[in-house]
């Protein structure tokens, strides 16, 4: 008769099973990106700076806010819908000429899924993506299936003969997608005879250490030397990675978010000034240099508690970066979208609401009253600054932008 295992043996078996389960969970947690997804994380970070500089040239632009990872997936969509050089240009703008077509789509899909996983990352990021076509278009089944699978795109026909109701329905969809945080993508659509990409997003960073909700008061934010608006300002003192570049007269602060999986890096001049000087310095290499010089130290941080709502039409900017065919009615071959050569990319609306709030994880109370917090550096963000939300796991850039004019009432000039 086979002997029954002793109690100790079965306990061992249970322990082993539990341990192997834990090990499996740990490996699932630590799952690395595939090599092509890592490469696309890298190229989308380069795209971040190219596109930012192109947008900053626009003299009428104030606040800038866009997600390079989401722009990369829009380029992936153009590649999916395009043929011959219309498709290959999308790869070139992404610096991904060497990536095979199928790896481009699986890689971008993997990257976007990883960075927007709000459960693992303890961050709020709602992303809605939609391709609108004129009412005459018929979307090809294969294209609909692939773009849904890789980029989570919805597809919709829209009748631009009734422009007002078309714009209203786009804005209503965006508001619904973002739980009302982004009420408007656009007031008007100029070119109504092509396909239109719309990204509507709501992003809310979750600080690794929260600000105290009572430490908020109204202060002046200096848009320029002669124009000040009133904004709620939140304050906290903590240990942060910080660098002061006295030669270039600026501060760089890194604030961890989302279980330290990403960080908000803020680059701010000493005093109020137009951001052009800083923008000339802003390259990927320079950012890496500043990051390498950072040291952990006590910093007293004051940040505007605001929601930025920014919508850009990237059609012209992507055209200037090399996506010349897809945006040109005479040259575009987007025949994978409908089976006919009847479409071009007339608009690329990329709209986000980003809310800077006090919420985050509980702070470490042990360091209060300790030597560590003595003589903090002051980081008082009451004038325009540039920011980058950098993902620490994939090295991609989730958002890049600048805050020049927060929403707020103009303050009367003090005598």
């Amino acid at each position: 008769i086979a002997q029954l295992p002793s109690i100790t043996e079965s306990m061992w078996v249970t322990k082993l099973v539990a341990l192997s389960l834990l090990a499996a969970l740990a490996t699932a947690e630590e799952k690395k990106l595939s090599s092509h997804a890592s490469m696309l994380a890298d190229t989308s970070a380069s795209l971040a700076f190219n596109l930012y500089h192109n947008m900053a040239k626009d003299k009428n632009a104030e606040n800038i806010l866009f997600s390079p990872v989401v722009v990369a997936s829009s380029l992936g969509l153009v590649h999916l819908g395009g043929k011959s050089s219309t498709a290959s240009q999308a790869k070139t703008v992404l610096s991904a000429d060497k990536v095979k077509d199928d790896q481009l789509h699986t890689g971008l899909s993997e990257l976007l899924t990883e960075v927007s996983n709000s459960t693992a990352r303890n961050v709020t990021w709602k992303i809605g993506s939609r391709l609108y076509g004129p009412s005459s278009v018929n979307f090809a089944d294969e294209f609909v299936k692939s773009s849904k699978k890789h980029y989570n795109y919805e597809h919709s026909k829209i009748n631009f003969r009734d422009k007002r109701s078309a714009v209203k329905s786009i804005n209503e969809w965006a508001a619904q997608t973002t739980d009302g945080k982004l009420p408007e993508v656009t007031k008007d659509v100029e070119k109504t005879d092509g396909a239109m990409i719309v990204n509507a997003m709501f992003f809310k960073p979750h600080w690794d250490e929260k600000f105290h909700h009572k430490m908020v008061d109204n202060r002046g934010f200096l848009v320029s030397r002669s124009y000040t608006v009133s904004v709620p300002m939140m304050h906290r003192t903590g240990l942060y990675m910080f660098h002061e570049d006295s030669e270039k007269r600026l501060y760089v602060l890194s604030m961890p978010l989302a279980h330290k999986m990403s960080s908000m890096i803020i680059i701010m001049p000493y005093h109020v000034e137009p951001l052009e000087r800083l923008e000339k310095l802003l390259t990927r290499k320079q950012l890496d240099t500043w990051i390498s010089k950072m040291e952990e130290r006590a910093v007293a941080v004051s940040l505007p508690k605001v929601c930025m709502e920014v919508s850009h039409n990237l059609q012209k900017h992507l055209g200037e970066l090399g996506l010349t065919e897809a945006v040109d009615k005479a040259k575009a071959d987007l025949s994978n979208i409908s089976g006919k050569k009847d479409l071009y990319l007339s608009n690329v609306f990329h709209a986000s609401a980003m809310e800077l709030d006090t919420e985050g994880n509980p702070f470490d109370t042990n360091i209060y009253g300790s030597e560590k917090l003595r003589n903090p550096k002051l980081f008082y963000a009451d004038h325009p600054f540039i920011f980058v939300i950098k993902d620490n796991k994939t090295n991609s850039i989730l958002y890049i932008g600048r805050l020049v004019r927060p929403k707020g009432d103009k303050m009367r000039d003090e005598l």
Side-chain angles (χ1 to χ4, degrees):
I1 298 167
Q3 259 189 319
L4 287 171
S6 69
I7 289 176
T8 11
E9 270 179 34
S10 55
M11 275 170 71
W12 266 109
V13 172
T14 318
K15 270 190 175 173
L16 277 170
V17 170
L19 280 169
S20 53
L21 271 173
L22 278 172
L25 278 170
T27 28
E29 279 293 300
E30 278 310 301
K31 204 172 125 231
K32 286 213 162 34
L33 282 188
S34 64
S35 58
H36 42 278
S38 298
M39 184 188 165
L40 290 159
D42 188 63
T43 61
S44 68
S46 300
L47 172 70
F49 293 94
N50 297 341
L51 185 54
Y52 181 95
H53 285 293
N54 192 283
M55 292 163 80
K57 284 192 303 202
D58 182 350
K59 293 285 171 250
N60 299 320
E62 287 186 324
N63 299 337
I64 290 178
L65 176 67
F66 69 91
S67 168
V69 175
V70 174
V71 175
S73 66
S74 299
L75 288 165
L77 184 86
V78 173
H79 184 277
L80 204 57
K83 283 191 176 162
S84 60
S85 46
T86 301
S88 62
Q89 280 185 350
K91 264 188 177 178
T92 307
V93 176
L94 249 181
S95 317
D97 293 312
K98 292 190 178 74
V99 182
K100 290 185 185 140
D101 290 1
D102 57 337
Q103 290 185 336
L104 178 80
H105 302 299
T106 54
L108 286 171
S109 172
E110 188 188 336
L111 176 63
L112 193 61
T113 307
E114 165 63 49
V115 296
S116 60
N117 180 342
S118 38
T119 326
R121 287 162 172 270
N122 190 17
V123 66
T124 302
W125 196 7
K126 296 181 189 306
I127 304 173
S129 297
R130 209 173 222 195
L131 183 75
Y132 286 92
S135 30
S136 57
V137 78
N138 282 314
F139 293 112
D141 291 345
E142 186 50 42
F143 173 76
V144 169
K145 210 169 81 186
S146 300
S147 55
K148 226 186 192 83
K149 177 184 161 190
H150 295 303
Y151 302 116
N152 210 12
Y153 260 76
E154 300 171 20
H155 304 79
S156 183
K157 294 185 193 190
I158 197 159
N159 176 14
F160 275 112
R161 286 202 187 99
D162 182 354
K163 200 196 266 193
R164 189 194 272 169
S165 97
V167 168
K168 185 170 177 261
S169 88
I170 292 167
N171 288 335
E172 278 173 359
W173 167 77
Q176 201 182 338
T177 303
T178 59
D179 294 342
K181 296 290 183 179
L182 186 75
E184 187 176 87
V185 166
T186 184
K187 285 182 167 56
D188 188 19
V189 175
E190 283 171 31
K191 299 176 188 159
T192 56
D193 56 348
M196 182 162 83
I197 286 176
V198 185
N199 301 122
M201 293 164 281
F202 171 57
F203 184 79
K204 184 175 180 177
H206 192 92
W207 306 111
D208 187 55
E209 289 198 347
K210 64 183 178 185
F211 287 75
H212 199 294
H213 64 280
K214 286 185 177 163
M215 299 268 292
V216 178
D217 54 8
N218 279 341
R219 303 273 176 111
F221 185 97
L222 294 89
V223 176
S224 66
R225 285 182 185 276
S226 56
Y227 192 89
T228 305
V229 294
S230 169
V231 296
M233 197 76 98
M234 49 192 188
H235 316 276
R236 81 172 304 267
T237 301
L239 293 175
Y240 290 108
M241 297 303 283
F242 179 84
H243 172 62
E244 177 176 353
D245 188 333
S246 50
E247 186 195 327
K248 297 186 169 72
R249 307 189 308 286
L250 56 88
Y251 301 113
V252 188
L253 171 74
S254 177
M255 302 178 73
L257 316 168
H259 298 326
K260 297 189 177 170
M261 280 181 161
S262 54
S263 306
M264 182 168 187
I265 299 163
I266 303 176
I267 304 142
M268 183 176 75
Y270 281 178
H271 308 291
V272 61
E273 61 169 275
L275 288 174
E276 269 167 87
R277 178 181 72 83
L278 259 67
E279 286 168 341
K280 284 198 178 89
L281 301 169
L282 185 68
T283 60
R284 197 171 167 188
K285 195 176 168 195
Q286 179 61 70
L287 183 67
D288 288 344
T289 304
W290 282 327
I291 291 171
S292 71
K293 290 182 175 175
M294 285 184 158
E295 289 176 0
E296 189 181 62
R297 58 158 310 143
V299 188
V301 180
S302 295
L303 274 188
K305 179 181 180 291
V306 290
C307 189
M308 287 173 77
E309 288 155 29
V310 189
S311 182
H312 301 286
N313 189 349
L314 300 180
Q315 194 241 21
K316 175 173 78 83
H317 301 296
L318 291 172
E320 285 171 5
L321 291 181
L323 195 75
T324 54
E325 283 192 16
V327 300
D328 184 330
K329 198 175 177 178
K331 292 181 182 163
D333 182 353
L334 293 172
S335 50
N336 282 339
I337 294 180
S338 65
K340 286 191 283 196
K341 214 171 156 182
D342 55 352
L343 287 174
Y344 78 111
L345 198 57
S346 53
N347 296 278
V348 182
F349 285 113
H350 186 94
S352 286
M354 182 168 95
E355 192 175 332
L356 297 180
D357 197 353
T358 55
E359 287 169 38
N361 302 331
F363 34 79
D364 176 9
T365 47
N366 294 334
I367 61 169
Y368 288 98
S370 73
E371 283 296 306
K372 285 183 175 175
L373 288 189
R374 284 188 66 171
N375 305 327
K377 277 280 182 190
L378 198 60
F379 189 91
Y380 191 69
D382 70 341
H383 54 281
F385 56 80
I386 297 169
F387 58 87
V388 173
I389 294 181
K390 189 173 185 290
D391 188 57
N392 301 327
K393 185 174 174 184
T394 63
N395 262 334
S396 57
I397 289 176
L398 308 185
Y399 271 99
I400 184 170
R402 66 183 184 199
L403 180 65
V404 172
R405 185 191 292 261
K407 278 187 295 194
D409 296 330
K410 182 178 191 283
M411 291 174 85
R412 61 191 172 83
D413 299 324
E414 299 298 334
L415 292 174

